Amino acid sequence: MNEKIIKFAVFAALGLNFAWSPSKGQYMQNGAKVTEASMVNYDQFGYDVALSGDGMTLAAGVPYAGLNTSPYTGDGKVFLYQNSSTGFGASSQQIAESDNGTSDTYFGKHLDFSDDGNVLVISAHGYGVMEGVAWVYRKNTAGVYQMEQQLAPTGLIGDGYFSDALDISGDGMTIAIGAPRDDNSVGAVYVYRYQNNTWLPYGNKIVPTNNINFAEFGCSVSLSYDGNTLAIGGDNDDYYKGAVWIYNYNSAWVQSTKIVLSSGNYIGTEVALDSTGTGLIFANRQLFTTTGSFWDYRLVNGTWTNTGQVPFNVESMALHKSGALLVIGISRSNSAEFAVFKKNNGSWSQVGSNYVGTGASGISYNGAYSIALSSNANVIAYGNIDDDQNKGAVWTFVQSSPLAIKLKKITAESSENGNLVRWETASEEKGDIFVVEKSNDGSNFRVLSENIAAKGKPSLYSCRDEHPTEG
């Protein structure tokens, strides 16, 4: 359990401070919007965003930095930021594609972190006239990300757009990379595994065998935590109806199922597996409209089964590793907004209202174009590529900490073994534990008890101060 301790009251007469550890709740904006002063019109800062598992490191991609208008390409960059009490401030590192001796490759259009934040994968699908490569960076002991290896496909047919979609497993050992334009847009996916300090192909080049027409198989990819289950979207399959494929690794990648729906278009634009690889969320994003849905599939007795559909305008999405928390960037809402959904008793419901960051400039035609959720569920980041004439910006939100209890009374009584502190709650809306601290000056506190389990209902509690203040 990731517990966040919140101090909510100081009782001067008793010199006590109570703290409450909340259950997962609402989110609030985490500092000002994040951007760079060097951005110019159409750079599209925040085209993709990624967060480390602890929510302490943010990566923002800028694929069109140094824009060339003909052709519409740029010398991409990725900016890294560290979280603090005031949000994500000045960038801690900038990675430019020119560092690798390349240009005009859409560097930074897609990126992803391993859960521990030590490995960062960055796309460059424009490399070699749209053949594409991906770059793997690893954080050194000084906290700096250094280029570790270039990943290039073998057996690519045509301008495959390799790395137009990518995902790294939670354990940081497996990378899946889509090449949706391979073989005249039939599409393909390549998987790599970190072995003996190098990234090597993990199994065969994956191509669909039951696609209908040019599927653009690999337009989206998602791995389970251990990297042995893979979901692949092909949103053009069967003349834009779309489909989702599931593969499992057992000496080779073997197709488990192909999911198609009786209605809807562009199915599989977004796909996301939970950490176990037994829960799947996928969405369709209707181009030039605000209609769409997301679907929930579960592996039940060896069969992928539809357990729900929620109509919603999905532009981007990020699924928590538990499979029970989903954040969605909302498409074409004229402002970059996102929504939080939770799953309870098998059903999805939105938590609160839509969220929108403050300080935006201009209309956001593309909505929250990219979105990321930390593994501890404490931080959400989303990108608005339309902000300030397409310069782009990123907003971050953290879990808010509303007062989760109401105290009815609190007392302290002297006893042979120190002061006995008692308190009674009138209500307990949510939370995990109480922490009780003591202070003589209202500034410096000493812990009396830090692991008193909450009961979730009006209750009596007590702890003992074995070293009471004299006088």
Side-chain angles (χ1 to χ4, degrees):
M1 180 181 296
N2 295 299
E3 295 172 333
K4 187 175 181 182
I5 306 301
I6 307 300
K7 296 178 180 178
F8 67 82
V10 176
F11 298 87
L14 297 172
L16 295 175
N17 182 40
F18 276 68
W20 178 258
S21 174
S23 298
K24 304 305 179 188
Q26 302 283 325
Y27 290 84
M28 62 182 180
Q29 188 168 327
N30 180 35
K33 71 179 183 183
V34 181
T35 189
E36 292 290 324
S38 60
M39 295 297 99
V40 299
N41 294 357
Y42 305 107
D43 274 358
Q44 299 189 6
F45 180 96
Y47 196 99
D48 199 8
V49 291
L51 287 164
S52 59
D54 60 6
M56 296 304 293
T57 305
L58 166 70
V62 195
Y64 300 111
L67 176 70
N68 297 310
T69 56
S70 182
Y72 194 66
T73 60
D75 299 330
K77 296 179 180 178
V78 172
F79 292 87
L80 294 161
Y81 303 85
Q82 302 303 313
N83 205 350
S84 70
S85 59
T86 57
F88 292 90
S91 59
S92 59
Q93 185 180 350
Q94 172 185 317
I95 303 173
E97 70 170 307
S98 57
D99 297 342
N100 302 323
T102 62
S103 62
D104 296 337
T105 68
Y106 301 97
F107 181 85
K109 196 170 185 179
H110 302 286
L111 38 88
D112 196 21
F113 275 117
S114 58
D115 267 12
D116 61 12
N118 288 333
V119 184
L120 172 63
V121 190
I122 302 175
S123 71
H125 79 257
Y127 183 92
V129 194
M130 301 303 174
E131 292 173 359
V133 297
W135 301 92
V136 183
Y137 290 77
R138 190 174 296 272
K139 186 167 63 175
N140 64 20
T141 55
V144 177
Y145 287 86
Q146 294 180 315
M147 198 276 283
E148 180 174 72
Q149 190 172 331
Q150 180 199 79
L151 303 180
T154 58
L156 194 70
I157 302 174
D159 54 350
Y161 278 53
F162 176 86
S163 80
D164 200 32
L166 55 79
D167 188 43
I168 185 168
S169 59
D171 63 7
M173 299 297 289
T174 309
I175 297 172
I177 300 178
R181 299 290 183 89
D182 182 74
D183 193 13
N184 293 315
S185 294
V186 170
V189 173
Y190 294 77
V191 186
Y192 299 84
R193 186 81 169 173
Y194 193 62
Q195 304 173 71
N196 300 319
N197 297 318
T198 191
W199 291 94
L200 298 172
Y202 190 51
N204 45 298
K205 173 187 175 182
I206 305 172
V207 295
T209 58
N210 53 352
N211 61 294
I212 301 175
N213 207 20
F214 46 92
E216 293 205 358
F217 177 88
C219 73
S220 59
V221 292
S222 179
L223 287 162
S224 59
Y225 185 88
D226 65 6
N228 287 321
T229 303
L230 172 62
I232 301 172
D235 62 4
N236 279 358
D237 188 66
D238 195 8
Y239 302 94
Y240 311 108
K241 291 179 181 178
V244 175
W245 287 259
I246 305 293
Y247 285 77
N248 296 105
Y249 186 81
N250 186 8
S251 300
W253 288 102
V254 178
Q255 181 178 316
S256 170
T257 192
K258 176 186 178 183
I259 300 171
V260 296
L261 302 176
S262 58
S263 62
N265 293 315
Y266 299 106
I267 302 301
T269 301
E270 301 279 341
V271 297
L273 285 168
D274 66 14
S275 63
T276 66
T278 60
L280 168 71
I281 300 291
F282 63 84
N284 72 326
R285 184 171 62 216
Q286 301 279 47
L287 297 183
F288 311 116
T289 74
T290 57
T291 61
S293 295
F294 68 86
W295 285 262
D296 185 349
Y297 272 69
R298 302 286 132 174
L299 187 61
V300 180
N301 297 324
T303 301
W304 285 94
T305 304
N306 183 4
T307 58
Q309 174 191 354
V310 178
F312 207 76
N313 306 328
V314 180
E315 180 70 34
S316 56
M317 71 180 196
L319 179 67
H320 187 254
K321 61 184 180 181
S322 66
L325 177 66
L326 179 69
V327 293
I328 293 177
I330 303 171
S331 66
R332 303 183 185 280
S333 57
N334 290 331
S335 64
E337 302 178 14
F338 73 91
V340 178
F341 283 81
K342 287 187 177 181
K343 188 177 184 180
N344 293 301
N345 299 320
S347 298
W348 289 95
S349 59
Q350 186 174 350
V351 180
S353 303
N354 296 346
Y355 293 87
V356 59
T358 60
S361 174
I363 295 175
S364 176
Y365 296 100
N366 290 286
Y369 196 75
S370 59
I371 199 161
L373 172 67
S374 63
S375 294
N376 62 11
N378 284 339
V379 184
I380 296 169
Y382 74 86
N384 173 5
I385 61 174
D386 297 313
D387 190 67
D388 193 10
Q389 301 182 71
N390 292 107
K391 293 182 178 72
V394 171
W395 280 258
T396 62
F397 281 68
V398 296
Q399 288 215 59
S400 59
S401 305
L403 182 62
I405 71 166
K406 292 182 181 179
L407 282 174
K408 187 174 182 179
K409 66 178 180 179
I410 177 172
T411 62
E413 302 172 4
S414 177
S415 67
E416 292 182 359
N417 298 321
N419 289 340
L420 181 64
V421 180
R422 291 190 177 100
W423 66 98
E424 182 178 356
T425 59
S427 65
E428 298 179 15
E429 295 180 6
K430 57 187 175 222
D432 303 314
I433 62 171
F434 285 98
V435 173
V436 185
E437 299 175 342
K438 173 183 175 180
S439 174
N440 294 326
D441 57 12
S443 298
N444 301 298
F445 289 87
R446 175 172 61 83
V447 174
L448 300 184
S449 178
E450 59 182 349
N451 195 27
I452 300 176
K455 299 176 183 178
K457 60 183 180 180
S459 303
L460 293 170
Y461 301 89
S462 66
C463 71
R464 191 173 298 277
D465 179 8
E466 298 179 353
H467 304 283
T469 304
E470 296 182 1

